[in-house]
Amino acid sequence: MAKMTKESNLQVTFSKRRSGLFKKASELCTLCGVEIAIVVFSPGKKVYSFGHPCVESIIDRFLTRNPLPNSSALQLFEAHRSANVRDLNLQLTQVLNQLEIEKKRGEALTQMRKASQAQCWWAASIEELSFERLELLKVSLENLKKNVALQVDKLMIEASNPPTFFPSNSVGAVVPYDSQVAGFGPRSYDFGYGGGRLF
């Protein structure tokens, strides 16, 4: 294990480790009823502290090696204060646990979003696509254009040539009459006065 060289990583790691250290100290106070003091100087020379019942009294007791005076009023005050601190430590622990759960949920959502973007890459903006994906998108759009053109041609043909329906051969069925098939054009006969006349 060695000291980190990158300043940004150093600050992030310090913040995470400090929170973890204070959390463990809080749990130790709550579970065992101990008095504890932690003083930490950050890489940026800021001071962070955690203490139960308070940092100053613990440091004074450590430096002078003198226990607190034994008076019933002071003991009652310390007991009440310790109970409050235990409650606050318990709330802090619950909040930190909830924060950790939310962080993990956020990381999971970020991973799901990244996986979804990887699967549906064509939904991303053009600027975000790589050259290979742009080539693939171009080929896909050209194929789509061809398919649409084929469908349009097919629909135009069907619209210009409506289907002819022939009834089945049954009694009284009428077969459609086509003058071109019968050999008669539109000007084959002149039905003027004097009867029909072929041209």
Side-chain angles (χ1 to χ4, degrees):
M1 185 178 289
K3 183 180 177 181
M4 295 179 175
T5 55
K6 195 171 182 181
E7 189 67 28
S8 59
N9 291 348
L10 187 69
Q11 192 62 40
V12 170
T13 303
F14 169 77
S15 180
K16 286 183 178 178
R17 295 294 178 97
R18 176 180 53 83
S19 298
L21 184 63
F22 287 179
K23 180 181 176 184
K24 291 296 181 185
S26 171
E27 291 173 355
L28 187 63
C29 292
T30 303
L31 294 174
C32 304
V34 299
E35 297 177 355
I36 192 169
I38 300 174
V39 179
V40 181
F41 290 88
S42 73
K45 306 305 180 190
K46 289 184 179 179
V47 182
Y48 298 89
S49 63
F50 174 85
H52 171 71
C54 71
V55 176
E56 292 82 4
S57 65
I58 300 297
I59 290 176
D60 287 343
R61 284 175 60 192
F62 177 76
L63 293 175
T64 60
R65 303 288 183 184
N66 292 329
L68 290 172
N70 188 9
S71 69
S72 58
L74 185 59
Q75 286 179 352
L76 182 62
F77 174 75
E78 284 296 330
H80 180 69
R81 186 165 146 183
S82 296
N84 287 340
V85 169
R86 273 196 301 272
D87 290 342
L88 290 173
N89 284 337
L90 186 60
Q91 291 177 21
L92 175 64
T93 302
Q94 291 173 349
V95 168
L96 289 174
N97 288 338
Q98 188 66 32
L99 179 63
E100 197 65 31
I101 290 170
E102 293 300 327
K103 281 182 180 177
K104 289 179 181 176
R105 185 179 298 166
E107 290 170 1
L109 287 173
T110 301
Q111 290 177 353
M112 287 171 59
R113 194 191 71 221
K114 286 181 179 177
S116 174
Q117 286 177 348
Q119 290 175 355
C120 304
W121 56 266
W122 57 86
S125 65
I126 297 294
E127 292 79 14
E128 297 175 3
L129 296 178
S130 65
F131 181 75
E132 292 80 12
R133 293 246 167 111
L134 286 171
E135 285 290 327
L136 187 59
L137 181 62
K138 178 184 173 187
V139 171
S140 299
L141 290 175
E142 287 173 350
N143 289 336
L144 177 63
K145 181 180 177 183
K146 289 176 186 176
N147 289 335
V148 168
L150 288 174
Q151 288 294 325
V152 167
D153 290 343
K154 181 179 175 184
L155 290 173
M156 294 289 286
I157 290 170
E158 289 177 359
S160 62
N161 293 324
T164 304
F165 297 101
F166 295 97
S168 60
N169 283 337
S170 59
V171 178
V174 178
V175 177
Y177 174 76
D178 190 343
S179 61
Q180 298 291 333
V181 174
F184 300 105
R187 295 179 53 106
S188 295
Y189 283 96
D190 182 5
F191 291 103
Y193 184 77
R197 176 169 59 87
L198 281 173
F199 286 96

